[in-house]
Amino acid sequence: MMTYSQKRARLLVVALLSCAPCALLSTGAAAQTTVPTAPASPAPAGNQSSSSLPQTPVTTDDAVATGEATPTDGSPDIVITGSYLNVRQEDRASPVLAINAEDFNRTGVQSLAEITRFIPQNVGSAGGIQDLAKGGGADSRDTRSANLRGLGAGATLVLLNGRRVVPADGFVNLNSLTPEIAIERIETVLDGASSTYGADAVAGVFNVITNTRFNGLKLSAQATHIADSPSANVQAMIGFGNDRFHSVTSAAYRYQDRLQNSERAITNFFNPSSGAGANPGSYILYSRPRTATGGDVIINGNNYSALYDQYRNAAGTVSVVDPNCGSAETQSRYVPAANSPGFGLGACQFSFQAQNPIRPEAKSYLIHNDTTYEIADGHTLFAEFGFYHQDSRRFSVPSYAQNRIGARPPIVPASNPYNPFGVDVAFVGRAIGSAGFPDYQYRLIQDKVDQRQFVLGGRGRIGGGWRYTANATYSRADVQSTDRDTDLTLFQAALNGFGGPNCNYRYSGPGAGAVAGQGNCLYYSPFAKDTAGLDPSLIFNLQSNVVSSAKIEYAIGEAVVNGPLFSINGRSLDVAVGAQYRKEKLSNTYSDLLTSGFAGFLGPNRNTAFEREVKSIFAEANYEVIDGLNVNAAGRYEDYGNFDTIAPKIAVNWRIIPQVAVRVSASKAFQAPSIQNSAAVLINTNVVNIIDPNDRTTVFRSVQTFGNPDLQPQKADVLNIGTTLLPIEGLRLSVDYWKYKYKNQIQLQNGQAVINADPNGPNVIRDATGSAQTIIVQSYNAPSGTGTSGIDVAGSYTFDLGSVQLSLRDNLSYLATYDVDTGTVVYDGVGYRNNFQTSPLTAAAAPRWRNLATIDGSVDAFFASGTWRYVSGVRDDYLAVVGTNVTDRIGAWSAFDFQAGFQFGPDRRFDVIVGMINAFDKTPPAAKYTGYLSTLGDPFGRQTYVRLGAKF
């Protein structure tokens, strides 16, 4: 049996290194330092919360810092995230959550991004899951952000070994950082940290620390069964070296199969699209339909000539639905117009829902290396290299809607033999409906991501207790996305009889030998009755490849020195000073169809190139006033060229007695505008479902986003007050009150709000028929901004029951306020989906309660654990008007996970872990339009996995 002091020492390390991990996001400079490990003694109350994750007892040797050389005095160091000073983590005031490698392995996740579901403080990660509320972009890839406190993906800083990583997806993809097998631990600062890290650390910092001291060979393989979407992960790590040189290389291959809406009941519902978004579509009759002999056109018993005579408008036109609308083979339904005398007037609806994806098929390769070389006593060179490649494929509805048809939609001429009306008619709809086209059932989006990071630096001792660290980092990502859209020129050519890949048709018209409907030139029919019999080669005219490419680059140089400045009353005033230079570059290029404006749905886009330099200086000081009372102050100045800013922070941590500590921190955080958002150019074109106030139609419309060179950094006041209690052996409790209040918040105008405010204004572009085609939006600095506060409560109790060690853990996050500033009104968003018509894009679903509870036990080489994840429900305000009474609700989400494993073989070199995630196959609660909310639950259902590991 362990002695009392041994148990308390082990509890100290477990408490310091095992708390609910927090995934975060963005791109900020990192601060980390190394401090000597504390000697074995009764564990003092520190600044960290207990984890609710399954945990392994950790020894001091297990906690040896990564990325730092062992001091010559033989004592190991521990990297401290959030400081440049040699201050023990337990003496710092900012709340820190951490998890070590063994704890991570016991979660059942097979990617770093999946750890976010175990973080109550993480609200609404972006990317990787398609829920139709977003669309395109990062949803087409295997990627995931972090979003602490629901303040947006850009408010959380993600670091790898204390250094920023290029945001390939508009945020740092957690899956791209390092193979999970190489992770030594993950540390998260749940506090504003712009004073130390610079921009993007408003909500906190997420630092992934790799194992740089591993010796030998380690292997791991996991297979996860998800119904209709299995996945696998294979990893390896090898380390070797001597007293002066050491190198660790890790590699991983990950695969996930696609999952479609049709494969889950919660997402396989009728989600109607009509008008320009439908197929079967509708037709505009510009003149009276007639047969070849001049008689009335009667189709399926409906007289369309008489319909035209009675219902044509003043302009001499009438719109009718496809004559085959509502048939079983078209998977559509007819919705008659009010007071309609019979079939024809109204709308044809079909559902694209089943063919859209929940997540893409993806495979990725990841390689990471850490190498250190001691060039002289107390001076070490270090290098780091990482490479990530991903190929993903998203299978989606066969074709986009045609929402940019200009003054007049595509025309089906009377000469088209498939045209039953005998006169020219305009087609309004999708090129291909949900039934697909011969040999073409899905539209395929293919993404390729190449990301690399190089670091070279040195660290060492200067003398007199002073140390230095200097490094240079180059980080780059290349992202290429290939989608398919309808080229309206080619589409019209096929309607005119010049379709097919071998017809000699040019953009100026038919070439030599090209005759409509003869030889290699084919007619296309948009009428539903004809689709199945058309030549498959006509897909050439219906779908064209469109390519967008982005290149993002960071070049960073940083240097820091730290040490004791002088003593006051026999106590050292420790300081750190440093400087950083960062150059950012971003370029976007698009294929011709996307820039020309002739694509039916996507674009127009513009090729762009941006770059900027950021220069910063920073300082930090720490002083222990009396035993256990530490005061820390930090500040950072950053210059972006067109603006500059200062971020200060003051923090106090007081260990009143070893069992009781209180902490207070207050800071002013800031977040700079993105590089493209600071330029006065078109930076993005998206397509969104918009309600036109003029006619109340809800259809896809283009939303063009322009940059704003007058944008200033958004700032936030951040406050944290907390306490940690160790009332009895093995029991640890912590409570933190936190508050964030934005000022000058950067918000993007909501397209719906713009058209609501001025339906016929200069920012709403309409065609000749008066139909809204495009809404123009821009980012701006709101006078106020999001304000949120809450309470985190965490506890753990570890005890022995005979030969079994048991741990009970809980991590609860209570959201007290979530004030959303729409620009015109501020409302309390707690308990709401926050998808009102006028809500800014910075708002997220805000459940009041999030909780994670775990019980785990271990005996000898065996362990078992169970986890309960709970998120309270919200009111479903999708497209409601702020201020109206919202009665619809999205229910609470509750899921249970179970894992068990054992080690065996010589020196327990081998291990097997099996488990179930969402063991009771809980379905996420239903939500309007999207089916479910990915911020509350997931649609995967029960996941079972087995992981095999070996060490040599």
Side-chain angles (χ1 to χ4, degrees):
M1 295 292 291
M2 292 182 293
T3 65
Y4 173 81
S5 61
Q6 288 173 329
K7 290 181 180 179
R8 295 298 296 272
R10 184 172 71 174
L11 177 60
L12 166 62
V13 180
V14 171
L16 290 177
L17 293 180
S18 60
C19 303
C22 286
L24 308 98
L25 150 68
S26 194
T27 57
Q32 66 180 23
T33 187
T34 57
V35 298
T37 56
S41 60
N47 67 335
Q48 294 185 304
S49 304
S50 296
S51 171
S52 299
L53 292 172
Q55 305 221 333
T56 303
V58 185
T59 67
T60 301
D61 289 340
D62 293 325
V64 168
T66 62
E68 296 289 341
T70 303
T72 55
D73 61 8
S75 62
D77 286 350
I78 292 181
V79 174
I80 300 301
T81 301
S83 176
Y84 289 106
L85 293 172
N86 294 345
V87 180
R88 295 181 302 177
Q89 191 67 280
E90 67 202 55
D91 291 329
R92 294 187 54 76
S94 295
V96 177
L97 306 177
I99 179 175
N100 67 14
E102 292 301 319
D103 303 332
F104 183 90
N105 289 337
R106 291 190 177 192
T107 60
V109 304
Q110 58 175 347
S111 70
L112 182 57
E114 292 178 16
I115 205 70
T116 57
R117 69 168 173 256
F118 293 96
I119 305 166
Q121 293 80 8
N122 188 81
V123 182
S125 292
I129 294 180
Q130 171 67 37
D131 63 9
L132 297 179
K134 301 181 287 292
D139 292 325
S140 302
R141 301 187 282 277
D142 177 23
T143 183
R144 203 71 173 153
S145 78
N147 187 1
L148 285 177
R149 311 298 189 193
L151 294 178
T156 303
L157 178 63
V158 174
L159 308 169
L160 177 61
N161 289 322
R163 292 174 284 269
R164 67 169 63 220
V165 181
V166 69
D169 297 309
F171 51 80
V172 175
N173 178 11
L174 298 178
N175 289 337
S176 70
L177 294 175
T178 188
E180 289 72 28
I181 199 171
I183 295 175
E184 178 74 17
R185 65 186 186 281
I186 305 165
E187 295 184 344
T188 298
V189 179
L190 286 174
D191 195 5
S194 292
S195 59
T196 304
Y197 300 100
D200 311 324
V202 177
V205 180
F206 180 66
N207 189 15
V208 177
I209 302 170
T210 58
N211 186 343
T212 63
R213 302 197 179 179
F214 177 76
N215 281 295
L217 175 65
K218 186 175 182 180
L219 305 172
S220 175
Q222 176 173 325
T224 301
H225 172 72
I226 301 175
D228 307 303
S229 182
S231 59
N233 194 3
V234 180
Q235 303 185 74
M237 179 168 64
I238 185 170
F240 60 91
N242 52 39
D243 292 341
R244 298 185 63 184
F245 170 85
H246 201 84
S247 184
V248 179
T249 301
S250 56
Y253 168 78
R254 181 168 181 256
Y255 174 81
Q256 69 175 32
D257 202 354
R258 65 186 173 112
L259 184 65
Q260 302 294 124
N261 282 334
S262 60
E263 295 169 322
R264 290 295 183 270
I266 192 66
T267 54
N268 193 20
F269 57 91
F270 193 85
N271 197 348
S273 181
S274 59
N279 186 307
S282 60
Y283 296 86
I284 301 174
L285 306 178
Y286 294 103
S287 59
R288 191 179 194 273
R290 62 178 185 270
T291 64
T293 60
D296 287 0
V297 173
I298 301 173
I299 306 173
N300 297 332
N302 299 298
N303 190 321
Y304 285 87
S305 300
L307 199 67
Y308 176 83
D309 292 339
Q310 184 175 358
Y311 291 99
R312 69 181 184 272
N313 59 24
T317 67
V318 65
S319 179
V320 298
V321 299
D322 188 294
N324 214 32
C325 177
S327 63
E329 60 268 23
T330 64
Q331 304 174 25
S332 62
R333 67 185 183 190
Y334 171 60
V335 180
N339 302 317
S340 176
F343 184 88
L345 304 181
C348 190
Q349 296 182 342
F350 87 102
S351 179
F352 52 79
Q353 184 71 15
Q355 287 157 299
N356 270 325
I358 294 174
R359 72 173 184 178
E361 176 192 60
K363 58 182 179 182
S364 60
Y365 308 87
L366 184 54
I367 299 173
H368 185 266
N369 173 268
D370 286 295
T371 298
T372 59
Y373 179 67
E374 187 177 11
I375 58 175
D377 184 29
H379 299 276
T380 300
L381 292 177
F382 58 88
E384 181 179 343
F385 164 77
F387 176 77
Y388 174 75
H389 174 80
Q390 180 188 147
D391 289 299
S392 62
R393 302 197 304 165
R394 175 182 170 216
F395 295 78
S396 192
V397 64
S399 72
Y400 284 122
Q402 294 183 20
N403 72 314
R404 283 217 306 282
I405 52 181
R408 195 166 179 175
I411 300 298
V412 186
S415 59
N416 187 315
Y418 297 104
N419 182 350
F421 296 115
V423 294
D424 291 357
V425 296
F427 169 70
V428 181
R430 298 183 183 227
I432 308 173
S434 60
F437 195 71
D439 301 331
Y440 190 89
Q441 300 303 309
Y442 287 99
R443 190 184 83 260
L444 181 62
I445 303 175
Q446 296 177 282
D447 283 8
K448 294 183 182 296
V449 179
D450 287 298
Q451 186 172 318
R452 67 222 71 175
Q453 176 139 328
F454 305 92
V455 179
L456 181 64
R459 57 175 172 262
R461 297 189 302 274
I462 302 174
W466 283 80
R467 293 188 175 189
Y468 72 90
T469 299
N471 62 80
T473 300
Y474 176 74
S475 189
R476 172 174 166 173
D478 294 274
V479 182
Q480 178 177 288
S481 180
T482 302
D483 200 348
R484 309 208 82 190
D485 199 358
T486 302
D487 184 325
L488 294 178
T489 301
L490 291 177
F491 185 71
Q492 183 63 63
L495 294 176
N496 294 340
F498 298 101
N502 299 315
C503 180
N504 186 19
Y505 183 85
R506 303 171 183 176
Y507 282 91
S508 58
V515 179
Q518 296 184 22
N520 293 326
C521 297
L522 308 172
Y523 274 105
Y524 171 69
S525 171
F527 292 91
K529 63 182 177 59
D530 303 317
T531 301
L534 293 173
D535 191 313
S537 70
L538 279 167
I539 196 69
F540 170 80
N541 296 83
L542 309 183
Q543 294 285 271
S544 299
N545 282 347
V546 290
V547 180
S548 58
S549 300
K551 181 171 71 173
I552 311 102
E553 295 178 276
Y554 279 2
I556 307 169
E558 184 177 37
V560 184
V561 295
N562 66 78
L565 186 61
F566 50 76
S567 294
I568 304 174
N569 296 327
R571 298 177 184 273
S572 175
L573 174 65
D574 296 324
V575 299
V577 293
Q580 184 188 86
Y581 169 84
R582 182 171 78 251
K583 188 168 188 176
E584 303 175 359
K585 292 183 178 182
L586 169 64
S587 63
N588 294 284
T589 57
Y590 304 91
S591 57
D592 291 343
L593 186 57
L594 289 177
T595 58
S596 68
F598 289 109
F601 188 75
L602 301 171
N605 294 96
R606 297 291 178 263
N607 295 335
T608 55
F610 312 97
E611 66 176 62
R612 70 179 175 191
E613 296 179 342
V614 184
K615 303 166 186 174
S616 60
I617 56 174
F618 45 90
E620 182 184 1
N622 189 85
Y623 180 67
E624 189 174 19
V625 180
I626 60 176
D627 288 346
L629 177 60
N630 278 266
V631 178
N632 185 275
R636 188 180 185 102
Y637 168 79
E638 289 202 345
D639 182 3
Y640 285 78
N642 56 334
F643 58 82
D644 56 15
T645 187
I646 297 175
K649 182 174 183 178
I650 184 72
V652 177
N653 188 70
W654 186 16
R655 280 185 290 114
I656 303 172
I657 58 176
Q659 292 79 24
V660 178
V662 295
R663 54 188 171 271
V664 179
S665 65
S667 64
K668 290 187 176 297
F670 75 94
Q671 185 177 356
S674 64
I675 185 172
Q676 67 268 34
N677 215 8
S678 297
V681 297
L682 174 64
I683 59 176
N684 181 55
T685 299
N686 196 8
V687 185
V688 180
N689 257 330
I690 297 289
I691 301 172
D692 188 344
N694 286 356
D695 57 17
R696 304 307 301 171
T697 58
T698 303
V699 297
F700 287 117
R701 309 180 202 271
S702 295
V703 177
Q704 294 184 349
T705 303
F706 283 78
N708 182 355
D710 296 326
L711 283 178
Q712 296 294 308
Q714 59 185 10
K715 299 183 179 181
D717 293 329
V718 185
L719 174 68
N720 192 93
I721 303 173
T723 183
T724 300
L725 306 174
L726 304 176
I728 60 174
E729 180 186 0
L731 178 62
R732 183 182 184 90
L733 302 171
S734 69
V735 180
D736 281 273
Y737 168 80
W738 47 269
K739 182 179 181 180
Y740 297 80
K741 174 55 181 169
Y742 270 109
K743 298 178 181 178
N744 216 35
Q745 188 175 21
I746 298 173
Q747 293 186 357
L748 179 65
Q749 291 175 318
N750 182 288
Q752 186 66 62
V754 169
I755 196 172
N756 285 350
D758 192 355
N760 301 301
N763 291 324
V764 178
I765 301 174
R766 296 180 178 273
D767 62 22
T769 68
S771 175
Q773 295 290 308
T774 300
I775 295 94
I776 297 174
V777 299
Q778 187 180 51
S779 292
Y780 64 98
N781 287 108
S784 180
T786 304
T788 183
S789 65
I791 298 174
D792 292 340
V793 180
S796 66
Y797 183 44
T798 302
F799 59 96
D800 293 334
L801 187 63
S803 60
V804 180
Q805 184 181 67
L806 294 174
S807 292
L808 307 176
R809 307 178 190 280
D810 191 81
N811 193 335
L812 170 70
S813 186
Y814 169 79
L815 186 63
T817 62
Y818 190 73
D819 294 334
V820 180
D821 185 352
T822 69
T824 57
V825 65
V826 178
Y827 71 91
D828 183 4
V830 175
Y832 284 85
R833 178 175 180 172
N834 293 313
N835 207 166
F836 289 102
Q837 287 188 25
T838 56
S839 291
L841 299 184
T842 52
R848 188 173 293 277
W849 300 94
R850 289 177 177 267
N851 192 70
L852 186 74
T854 294
I855 178 172
D856 64 274
S858 61
V859 54
D860 196 27
F862 297 86
F863 88 90
S865 68
T867 300
W868 173 50
R869 295 178 281 130
Y870 173 81
V871 182
S872 61
V874 296
R875 296 187 182 186
D876 195 346
D877 49 61
Y878 179 73
L879 290 187
V881 177
V882 175
T884 58
N885 184 30
V886 178
T887 58
D888 294 317
R889 292 193 60 84
I890 302 172
W893 165 256
S894 184
F896 292 86
D897 309 329
F898 301 101
Q899 296 87 27
F902 67 96
Q903 296 175 318
F904 61 97
D907 301 321
R908 295 183 178 175
R909 292 180 178 178
F910 308 102
D911 61 83
V912 177
I913 299 176
V914 296
M916 289 187 294
I917 298 170
N918 190 4
F920 300 116
D921 201 19
K922 178 72 173 179
T923 300
K928 293 180 182 178
Y929 184 60
T930 57
Y932 72 102
L933 279 189
S934 61
T935 56
L936 301 185
D938 67 66
F940 299 129
R942 181 186 296 113
Q943 304 176 46
T944 57
Y945 71 91
V946 58
R947 180 188 298 136
L948 305 177
K951 292 181 292 186
F952 301 96

